[in-house]
Amino acid sequence: MNERQRVRRPGGRSARVGAEVHQAVTDLISERGYGNFTVGEVAARAGVADSSIYRRWGSLETLLTDVALTRLNARSPMPDTGSLAGDLRTYAAQVAREITGPDGPAVLHLAVALSSCGQQGLQARDDLRAERTRQLQSMLDRARERGEQAPDAFDVLDHILAPMYIRVLFGVGPLTPDYIDGLVDRLL
């Protein structure tokens, strides 16, 4: 390798810039709501050039999808407790902590907003749903391999995630451990 070639280091400047851009997006959504800021404002808040954001993500919708997926994957990874009931309870509790945390409502509003922002937004929303469904399916497939009866991934979305999201989005009461366990029990 010659001196002009550079090796991208995980955890280096690229990771730091990505984290700063993600935080800028989350902060702007919390402060202004979706659709009330530009790539330029994200760049200014993160201390990077607009061109860096366009080069890395291509569009605001792609950036927003990346922010939502990264948050979900980092804070609500798919558990493997050895049983489907344990996996679903652990996963639901992780999601509840994430969506009720300081930035949680902003990420939920982002996911909802992607549905109403034209073709790119619809594609971003579909990408977000497809990735999360793929991850849920891997947990359900593991359960089936252990010989457990497992619901469809969309049943998990409908019976566990959707009620929690609605409660947070509309301020309809807390996501208590008993409430979350009840959602899992009703599904299983």
Side-chain angles (χ1 to χ4, degrees), residues 92-148:
Q94 290 170 345
V95 170
R97 277 192 303 277
E98 170 62 14
I99 64 176
T100 59
D103 299 330
V107 173
L108 280 181
H109 286 284
L110 165 61
V112 170
L114 286 172
S115 297
S116 62
C117 63
Q119 191 58 39
Q120 275 190 319
L122 291 174
Q123 184 60 52
R125 179 209 57 199
D126 292 348
D127 291 347
L128 179 63
R129 185 183 63 230
E131 176 60 19
R132 209 50 175 166
T133 301
R134 184 193 63 73
Q135 293 170 348
L136 282 170
Q137 193 61 54
S138 70
M139 177 176 44
L140 299 171
D141 289 345
R142 266 196 325 266
R144 285 187 189 96
E145 289 168 8
R146 291 189 300 257
E148 296 179 82

Side-chain angles (χ1 to χ4, degrees), residues 10 12 18 61 75 84 86 89 96 120 136 144 167 187:
E61 288 78 13
R75 299 192 180 174
L84 180 58
R89 280 187 175 76
Q120 275 190 319
L136 282 170
R144 285 187 189 96
R167 278 187 172 230
L187 175 62

Side-chain angles (χ1 to χ4, degrees), residues 12 15 19 34 71 99 114 133 162 172 176:
Y34 175 79
R71 294 283 306 253
I99 64 176
L114 286 172
T133 301
V172 182
T176 65

Side-chain angles (χ1 to χ4, degrees), residues 3 14 23 30-32 46 48 53 57 61 65 99 101 109 111 114 120-121 126 128 146-147 151 161 166 171 176 183:
E3 291 178 46
S14 180
Q23 189 59 52
S30 293
E31 293 167 16
R32 302 182 191 174
V48 301
I53 292 175
W57 288 281
E61 288 78 13
T65 302
I99 64 176
H109 286 284
L114 286 172
Q120 275 190 319
D126 292 348
L128 179 63
R146 291 189 300 257
L161 298 178
I166 292 298
T176 65
L183 293 174

Side-chain angles (χ1 to χ4, degrees), residues 3-25:
E3 291 178 46
R4 294 177 153 264
Q5 291 176 317
R6 294 186 182 210
V7 175
R8 194 172 271 196
R9 296 170 301 180
R13 183 177 187 287
S14 180
R16 189 174 59 254
V17 166
E20 290 167 357
V21 169
H22 278 217
Q23 189 59 52
V25 167

Side-chain angles (χ1 to χ4, degrees), residues 70-86:
T70 300
R71 294 283 306 253
L72 287 171
N73 292 338
R75 299 192 180 174
S76 302
M78 291 297 129
D80 188 359
T81 65
S83 75
L84 180 58

Side-chain angles (χ1 to χ4, degrees), residues 11-65:
R13 183 177 187 287
S14 180
R16 189 174 59 254
V17 166
E20 290 167 357
V21 169
H22 278 217
Q23 189 59 52
V25 167
T26 303
D27 292 346
L28 286 165
I29 291 170
S30 293
E31 293 167 16
R32 302 182 191 174
Y34 175 79
N36 297 316
F37 58 88
T38 65
V39 168
E41 290 169 308
V42 172
R45 176 81 56 111
V48 301
D50 297 22
S51 59
S52 295
I53 292 175
Y54 285 114
R55 186 171 42 257
R56 187 164 180 177
W57 288 281
S59 70
L60 183 58
E61 288 78 13
T62 302
L63 169 59
L64 296 173
T65 302

